[in-house]
Amino acid sequence: MTSKQRNISSRAAKMRRQAKARAVRSTRTPSPKRANFPTTLEAFKMGLAVGHLPVLCSNGQVRQLTYDRIREHLNAAVTAEGEPPLNAGELARFLADSLASGEMGMRTDGLWFTSEDFFAEVQS
């Protein structure tokens, strides 16, 4: 085998590797980004009206996070510290702060992200 034949072969192999890598990248779905705040706020209002938010968990499962579950989880946390349960206004302020700070939000694909602690069983 001559030097020229080896170069053509290695060049062809390189081209095949690059084509394969391009094909993999082109079929990969890009990760959704965070939706803008006005869109998130409007979707949050609609989610509360429906009764739940679709949350994408770390294992890829979509679970329904209900307003009741949010309230139960937060009330369990504050009563464990010896405080009285949150009233509706305090709960609304807490959720607004979570949305504004980015602890909770909506992705551009309509799924939500938040702490998975909301899905833990509430200890009474």
Side-chain angles (χ1 to χ4, degrees):
M1 188 185 294
T2 68
S3 166
K4 188 170 184 157
Q5 287 174 331
R6 231 178 293 129
N7 287 341
I8 291 172
S9 177
S10 64
R11 183 172 186 198
K14 179 181 177 183
M15 298 290 279
R16 282 192 301 273
R17 284 192 309 272
Q18 288 176 337
K20 185 178 178 181
R22 258 191 310 280
V24 167
R25 283 193 306 271
S26 68
T27 59
R28 191 179 308 150
T29 55
S31 172
K33 300 195 179 350
R34 182 180 295 195
N36 64 38
F37 188 73
T39 302
T40 300
L41 190 56
E42 189 60 33
F44 187 74
K45 291 176 190 174
M46 289 178 9
L48 290 181
V50 172
H52 66 273
L53 301 171
V55 175
L56 181 65
C57 296
S58 60
N59 63 0
Q61 180 183 15
V62 176
R63 296 185 64 187
Q64 304 304 322
L65 179 60
T66 64
Y67 181 74
D68 290 337
R69 177 160 296 272
I70 294 171
R71 187 182 69 241
E72 289 170 6
H73 176 77
L74 295 176
N75 279 335
V78 297
T79 55
E81 295 175 358
E83 297 291 324
L86 300 171
N87 64 37
E90 292 169 325
L91 183 58
R93 277 191 298 282
F94 182 87
L95 291 172
D97 289 344
S98 294
L99 287 171
S101 70
E103 292 176 46
M104 173 186 263
M106 187 179 76
R107 301 162 20 129
T108 55
D109 62 0
L111 297 176
W112 287 79
F113 61 88
T114 189
S115 170
E116 291 186 30
D117 292 344
F118 284 113
F119 296 110
E121 291 302 314
V122 177
Q123 303 296 320
S124 299

